[in-house]
Amino acid sequence: MSVFSRKDFDDHEQVVFCSDEASGLRAIIAIHNTSRGPALGGCRMWPYESDDAALTDALRLSRGMTYKSALADLPYGGGKAVIIGDPARDKTQALWRAFGRFVDSLGGRYVTAEDVGTRPDDLEVVRQTTRHVAGIAEGGAGDPSPATAYGVFVGIRAAMRERLEGTDMAGLRVAIQGLGNVGYGLARRLHEAGAELFVTDIDDLAVGRAVRELGATAVVPDQIYDQAVDVFSPCALGAIVNDETLPRLRASVVAGSANNQLAEERHGAALQQRKILYAPDYVINAGGVIWVSHESRNFDGKAASAHVGRIEKTLGEIFACARKEGVTPAEAADRIAESRFRHRAEAA
């Protein structure tokens, strides 16, 4: 199938297929839109079941980054890279340097950063062959995952205000799917605010840590959807709100850090029909990209954190717009974002 005829293709400006025989690198870099500035987006490393699945992920994630940067009012467009491989076994310095050379060949149109399966120390190796890297030590901002967790935390507060008519998290019941850097950081913040946690992850060690340190209740992965909670917080991979899982959700709010949480657009309407409030993923999980957008020699952590905190206000505006216009929060968010990057492209 041609890239242009795929359902996930959305007038992407550029899709680059990267292959380096010496290092074993197989990667895809997708640039969705650069009307607001260079395409900024993380590099994900994952053992995709097929090349087709990797391309789908790259196309969907890069589009989401355009909308994310627009709603966060950043001078960036949207892009994403995916590397096909197991991050636990396939990482080598040669692979990261080869990836950096491909990023560099784009002349600054794409700026890479951390994502699922990659870490700041991986990006330090990428930096050896390109300067178009964000979220490393020399930028001053460092690891953006705590900022992403903070953004989801304040986003949950906005959703509580909209649906639960209050922001006191004492006794709030939250099911967290995924305890990576962001998921665990979110769990810690929620625990400190008095929330009751139900957690799951494919990593038993991460679950055990949450049980010991945060008093969380461990849940078998497939049963996380069935928990009677106030908030379901997906913090792993995407497409988890789908025909199979949606009828099982017993939460009032879906708000988490995972990208592309809705398997299809129609699932946003299905959530609304079930009176479940959805916090659009690319809005609530924008903390990391906001954080690294402040990188400079004079990095100001307080200013960056305050910018991340504005996610709460942005979500409140989206919920209000959805109510006023009679659409889903996902549709309201799309409309606002598109008005910011498409109008700029037309003006140019």
Side-chain angles (χ1 to χ4, degrees):
M1 178 185 294
S2 166
V3 171
F4 299 108
S5 61
R6 297 178 66 93
K7 69 175 183 178
D8 297 303
F9 183 80
D10 182 48
D11 293 325
H12 285 69
E13 294 178 7
Q14 192 172 6
V15 181
V16 181
F17 295 86
C18 314
S19 176
D20 180 72
E21 183 177 2
S23 67
L25 174 73
R26 290 188 301 151
I28 302 170
I29 301 173
I31 297 175
H32 177 251
N33 186 286
T34 58
S35 63
R36 293 180 62 90
L40 174 62
C43 171
R44 172 171 294 188
M45 187 173 189
W46 192 254
Y48 292 98
E49 61 183 22
S50 66
D51 298 347
D52 186 72
L55 178 56
T56 294
D57 216 20
L59 292 174
R60 294 193 68 185
L61 291 168
S62 58
R63 178 184 183 275
M65 288 303 302
T66 297
Y67 285 71
K68 181 181 299 188
S69 289
L71 275 174
D73 200 24
L74 302 180
Y76 292 103
K80 208 78 170 184
V82 300
I83 294 177
I84 302 171
D86 186 338
R89 298 183 306 175
D90 299 332
K91 289 182 180 181
T92 65
Q93 292 204 359
L95 180 143
W96 290 120
R97 285 193 292 268
F99 174 68
R101 288 192 292 272
F102 280 106
V103 171
D104 203 61
S105 72
L106 296 173
R109 282 175 50 78
Y110 169 66
V111 180
T112 197
E114 181 186 3
D115 202 283
V116 174
T118 60
R119 299 178 59 83
D121 55 345
D122 300 325
L123 296 177
E124 296 288 354
V125 182
V126 175
R127 180 65 180 83
Q128 295 174 12
T129 51
T130 183
R131 63 186 178 86
H132 305 298
V133 182
I136 56 177
E138 72 177 36
D143 182 4
S145 58
T148 305
Y150 174 55
V152 176
F153 178 79
V154 299
I156 289 175
R157 198 160 58 198
M160 289 176 62
R161 184 180 292 108
E162 177 71 17
R163 177 51 49 86
L164 305 176
E165 300 180 352
T167 58
D168 183 0
M169 293 186 177
L172 186 75
R173 295 165 62 87
V174 184
I176 300 179
Q177 181 188 49
L179 292 170
N181 290 339
V182 176
Y184 199 88
L186 172 64
R188 184 178 297 281
R189 284 185 175 274
L190 289 167
H191 170 69
E192 292 171 352
E196 182 180 358
L197 305 177
F198 300 81
V199 302
T200 195
D201 195 287
I202 58 174
D203 183 350
D204 292 336
L205 293 177
V207 173
R209 180 186 174 199
V211 171
R212 291 192 310 274
E213 297 181 358
L214 309 178
T217 298
V219 178
V220 175
D222 186 56
Q223 294 178 7
I224 195 68
Y225 309 101
D226 305 307
Q227 303 306 302
V229 294
D230 300 299
V231 179
F232 172 61
S233 186
C235 296
L237 297 180
I240 53 78
V241 178
N242 52 54
D243 290 338
E244 178 183 344
T245 62
L246 196 150
R248 297 166 57 187
L249 292 177
R250 301 171 65 189
S252 298
V253 171
V254 172
S257 67
N259 286 304
N260 297 323
Q261 295 169 26
L262 305 180
E264 298 180 33
E265 289 185 11
R266 63 185 174 85
H267 291 120
L271 283 172
Q272 185 149 296
Q273 289 170 1
R274 296 176 66 87
K275 301 188 185 305
I276 299 174
L277 179 66
Y278 173 58
D281 47 31
Y282 63 77
V283 183
I284 196 171
N285 68 12
V289 71
I290 293 171
W291 185 261
V292 300
S293 76
H294 283 257
E295 284 191 336
S296 70
R297 292 182 178 179
N298 300 311
F299 175 72
D300 185 340
K302 289 185 177 179
S305 184
H307 192 169
V308 174
R310 297 210 300 267
I311 288 174
E312 182 173 0
K313 179 182 178 182
T314 300
L315 275 172
E317 293 170 348
I318 288 169
F319 295 145
C321 176
R323 273 188 278 106
K324 180 180 179 180
E325 299 186 10
V327 297
T328 68
E331 291 171 320
D334 282 357
R335 291 180 184 184
I336 297 171
E338 288 166 3
S339 72
R340 296 183 180 182
F341 70 83
R342 287 186 174 159
H343 290 176
R344 180 171 294 197
E346 292 167 0

